[in-house]
Amino acid sequence: MTRSSVQGEDTDEGVADAPEREEAVRGDGDNGVEDTRSNTKDDSGSTEGEPEGPRPRRRRRVLRWTAVVLAVVLAGTAGAGYLYYEHLNDNIKQDVLNLGDSKVAAPRPNAAGQTPLNILVIGSDARDSEENQQLGGARETFGSTPLADVQMLVHLSADRSNMSVVSMPRDTLLEIPKCTDPDDGEVYPASEGRVMTNQSLGHGGPGCTVATWQELTGIHIDHFVMVDFAGVVSMADAVGGVPVCVDANIHSRDAGGHGSGLKLAKGTHPVKGEQALQWLRTRYGFEDGSDLARAKAQHMYLNSMVRVLRENATLSSPNKLRRLAEEATAALTVDPGLDSVKKLYDLSNELREVKPERITMTTMPNRYVGARVEPTEDAEQLFRLVREDIALDGKDAKKKPDAEPGPPADPAASDDEIAVQVRNGTRTDDLGTAPGRANTVTGLLVDRGFTKAVADPSVLPSEDRTVVRYPSADLEGDARRVAKSLGIPASSVKRSTDVSGVTLVVGADWREGTAYKVPESDDSTPESAEALNGADDSACMHVNPAFTWS
């Protein structure tokens, strides 16, 4: 497993390239390889990484796309793996699920005893085979530290009625937690400040990308699927092509030779093989030339492929199924929970229960920070909807109240024996910390018999909602008792390794007064998430006029 401990933000992607990787290459076309290491715009509106004057081009790494493999899983074609069960099992590589120290508790079952399922799909840009090099690699990048350049969280609802997909732009700035490589025990310290999210894969493997997502979103991740680049072309061929649409003629190639090489006439066309790969890689030519536009194109492709796989009778051919299964399994690295064809098949059966019209594709709401992006308040809203298993399409039936949790393993102590730390987390992006809230709520607890409650002024977190956290099962009963005494719902009692004892964080929903009122939730999907419905076959990518032809 290759590694990187570089965490700076001053290089093209926050990772210093080795000198040999910066070799200037002149010529035409660069073998169709697009500069994919820069995906946003600078303050002037130009795309970072574009040539300035006569500056020579660099060969850069190409993304290994996840869309095709994810669509294969979504459509249930992993069932073809039974043809050569043991052989296909041997194809599948596995790695540890979570390399971080902190864990996020799994969601509680709903009233019917069902729980949601969250799968992180990762696309690595590493090239460690001759085949991958030929499909868009440069010799100097062979064996280099991989980057998690594609990251999509797939959320399957507890009742299996709907599915949500959240893409995170690869240059999102965030903090990567401490991760430990499971192979050799090497410890990668937490990043010093914010770095690009795609660096997480180089900190011990995909389990660090999982840990990074959990730290940012608070969403418990059950599985990951990381895809290899080499099988994408063959898999696209196996399904007979995927319809895509452009609103004008497009040729993804600029005067300097940058671009995927995609060339399509205006309208809808089935793409397969290398042309499908070009579609998934195209940045130059779609909308503003950023990776955000590329993510939108991936969503369109993925939605279309799911429809094809559901409807296309040609996949009843055993030979085509066999080929698709071979390519898909050879391309995958998964966590131990998905390390066999049987497990993937069972997962695909769950996923395929969802009709395309109940699949919602989104991009994490973000704003530019120089040439990078960061999550916005709308991103937290999107994460909350996923955490609380609220459908992003707004079509949820009225849910039954969550089942009341059973009795804790260790009952609550008497109120006067429960130690509680109270923190003021009322600060928001728009409002400063409401003064005195920790002291006020501590006084309420003391008046109600919790004489060991103390205010902790040393920590000023930021929480949208008031929450009671506890670190271990033996304190769950105490935490529930504290919450109940203040009218805080059981859903706001969370197990967390971030605290050492029962800790009440007064959130922005309780900035004043002595009576806690459960806030009414806005459960709508933010417009900035650019939601795309899985059944929408009318979507069409907008072509940048600078990349059109006649």
Side-chain angles (χ1 to χ4, degrees), residues 413-470:
S414 61
D415 292 352
D416 61 354
E417 290 297 321
I418 298 176
V420 188
Q421 282 194 335
V422 183
R423 295 173 178 172
N424 188 344
T426 57
R427 176 175 51 85
T428 70
D429 288 342
D430 300 319
L431 299 171
T433 300
R437 294 305 295 160
N439 287 327
T440 298
V441 175
T442 298
L444 290 175
L445 287 170
V446 171
D447 289 345
R448 295 176 190 188
F450 295 88
T451 55
K452 290 189 175 181
V454 294
D456 179 8
S458 65
V459 180
L460 294 176
S462 178
E463 294 284 349
D464 290 334
R465 295 191 176 194
T466 298
V467 62
V468 180
R469 296 192 173 99
Y470 63 95

Side-chain angles (χ1 to χ4, degrees), residues 142-449:
F142 184 86
S144 55
T145 301
L147 298 173
D149 272 349
V150 179
Q151 300 175 33
M152 293 182 179
L153 180 67
V154 179
H155 171 83
L156 182 62
S157 66
D159 63 6
R160 303 309 189 249
S161 68
N162 66 88
M163 186 186 305
S164 305
V165 180
V166 180
S167 288
M168 184 187 297
R170 63 179 180 166
D171 60 354
T172 299
L173 295 176
L174 46 67
E175 295 182 0
I176 297 175
K178 183 180 80 170
C179 292
T180 303
D181 190 318
D183 292 335
D184 59 13
E186 181 172 353
V187 176
Y188 293 84
S191 60
E192 296 180 3
R194 298 191 303 175
V195 297
M196 289 174 56
T197 183
N198 64 356
Q199 294 183 33
S200 60
L201 187 59
H203 290 217
C208 194
T209 305
V210 169
T212 300
W213 266 79
Q214 290 196 158
E215 287 279 335
L216 176 69
T217 67
I219 298 170
H220 173 81
I221 295 176
D222 301 281
H223 300 290
F224 75 79
V225 175
M226 186 167 71
V227 67
D228 178 83
F229 179 50
V232 172
V233 170
S234 296
M235 284 188 288
D237 286 343
V239 299
V242 176
V244 295
C245 178
V246 287
D247 66 1
N249 299 342
I250 182 174
H251 187 199
S252 178
R253 181 76 72 212
D254 66 8
H258 300 89
S260 70
L262 178 70
K263 189 171 185 179
L264 288 175
K266 177 181 178 180
T268 301
H269 309 273
V271 295
K272 60 182 180 178
E274 225 170 324
Q275 195 173 46
L277 180 64
Q278 289 172 334
W279 176 274
L280 294 167
R281 286 176 42 237
T282 294
R283 175 164 63 88
Y284 291 94
F286 284 157
E287 298 188 351
D288 63 355
S290 74
D291 208 43
L292 306 179
R294 176 161 42 195
K296 184 184 294 186
Q298 292 171 17
H299 292 167
M300 289 183 185
Y301 181 94
L302 178 55
N303 282 341
S304 183
M305 191 168 191
V306 170
R307 292 192 295 270
V308 168
L309 288 167
R310 285 175 175 270
E311 300 167 4
N312 193 338
T314 63
L315 285 178
S316 63
S317 162
N319 286 335
K320 289 187 176 182
L321 284 172
R322 173 185 171 184
R323 180 182 176 190
L324 187 57
E326 287 274 1
E327 299 296 346
T329 54
L332 296 179
T333 300
V334 299
D335 67 274
L338 294 177
D339 63 354
S340 71
V341 172
K342 174 65 166 61
K343 293 175 182 178
L344 288 169
Y345 179 67
D346 290 344
L347 171 62
S348 71
N349 275 342
E350 289 198 78
L351 293 170
R352 73 180 302 174
E353 291 182 28
V354 182
K355 296 179 180 179
E357 55 265 28
R358 295 303 313 277
I359 298 173
T360 306
M361 314 287 293
T362 64
T363 299
M364 181 197 77
N366 59 83
R367 56 178 163 246
Y368 282 107
V369 180
R372 312 297 180 207
V373 298
E374 66 181 5
T376 63
E377 295 78 8
D378 282 354
E380 173 51 34
Q381 165 78 345
L382 188 65
F383 299 151
R384 182 184 68 80
L385 295 178
V386 174
R387 284 196 302 268
E388 298 181 7
D389 196 27
I390 297 169
L392 299 187
D393 60 8
K395 297 178 182 177
D396 264 343
K398 186 174 182 181
K399 292 188 176 182
K400 298 177 182 179
D402 287 347
E404 282 294 321
D410 191 350
S414 61
D415 292 352
D416 61 354
E417 290 297 321
I418 298 176
V420 188
Q421 282 194 335
V422 183
R423 295 173 178 172
N424 188 344
T426 57
R427 176 175 51 85
T428 70
D429 288 342
D430 300 319
L431 299 171
T433 300
R437 294 305 295 160
N439 287 327
T440 298
V441 175
T442 298
L444 290 175
L445 287 170
V446 171
D447 289 345
R448 295 176 190 188

